[in-house]
Each structure stands twice: as structure tokens, then as C-alpha cells.
Amino acid sequence: MRCVIARYPFDLTKSEVEEMLKGIRPEQPVSGPCAVISRKLYPVKQVGEVITKQDRRDFTAFEVTRALTRLGFTCHETPPAPATPAPAAPSAESGSDSGPESTSYIGTTLG
């Protein structure tokens, strides 16, 4: 697909972009516009620099975001909030003293 970034046309495919970023670690922390590529969250400016081989000051995040979206990548204005685990629901057995799992034998003589 033809994409224009920094007034230069690029013929890119989704698989080519994934291949260009293979082995490149995403910069941390990601704080602005970002894209999910190969299940990793990359800043779009980093992606733009890799795929265009130009300085980041030569293009805008919007140009790269538009190109990546057209190629089928998921882009975000800000990084998505990390998923927090749901609090554990109290089980039915936790409140009762029956059963060997809930009985404490410490300090007890069995016999």
C-alpha cells in the first residue's frame, strides 16, 4: 500500500513493517501515540524512524499513525491502561472451619 510520510511515498505492507521491526525493542516508557506491532507496543515515532530511515523530526506522529492504521495495525493516542487483575472472590469454604484444608494442627497432639 502506498503511504506518504514526510512528503515521501513509501510502498509498504503489513508483513514488511513487522519484518523491519523484528529484533527491535520498543522504547520504554511509551507515553504518546503508539501502535501494536507483533503483539508489542511501539511509539509511532520509533516505527516511523525505522520504516522511513529518516530523522523523527522530519515527520509527525499523525502521518505514521495514519499509515499504520491503513496497513491494519492497531494504534492508540496514549498507551492503553495495563490490565489489573480482578480481586479474588471469597470462596464458600474460606469462612467455615470444616475440612482438612482449613483446620490448623499446629500445637495439637494427634492421637
Side-chain angles (χ1 to χ4, degrees):
M1 174 176 292
R2 182 165 287 246
C3 303
V4 177
I5 301 172
R7 299 183 312 270
Y8 292 100
F10 295 92
D11 287 318
L12 301 169
T13 64
K14 186 174 184 175
S15 60
E16 286 175 333
V17 172
E18 290 171 336
E19 187 65 32
M20 286 183 218
L21 290 168
K22 186 181 273 187
I24 297 177
R25 285 190 167 164
E27 295 171 353
Q28 297 296 330
V30 179
S31 59
C34 52
V36 178
I37 300 173
S38 300
R39 298 183 355 202
K40 297 178 186 171
L41 193 65
Y42 287 90
V44 294
K45 286 285 211 167
Q46 180 185 12
V47 175
E49 186 175 50
V50 171
I51 63 178
T52 66
K53 298 176 181 54
Q54 295 179 3
D55 190 274
R56 295 176 189 205
R57 295 172 288 183
D58 294 340
F59 52 84
T60 65
F62 177 75
E63 290 175 297
V64 179
T65 300
R66 181 178 56 210
L68 292 174
T69 301
R70 288 181 62 208
L71 289 170
F73 293 106
T74 302
C75 297
H76 304 280
E77 284 298 315
T78 57
T84 56
S91 65
E93 291 184 16
S94 65
S96 67
D97 287 337
S98 63
E101 295 83 20
S102 62
T103 304
S104 175
Y105 294 109
I106 298 173
T108 315
T109 305
L110 297 174

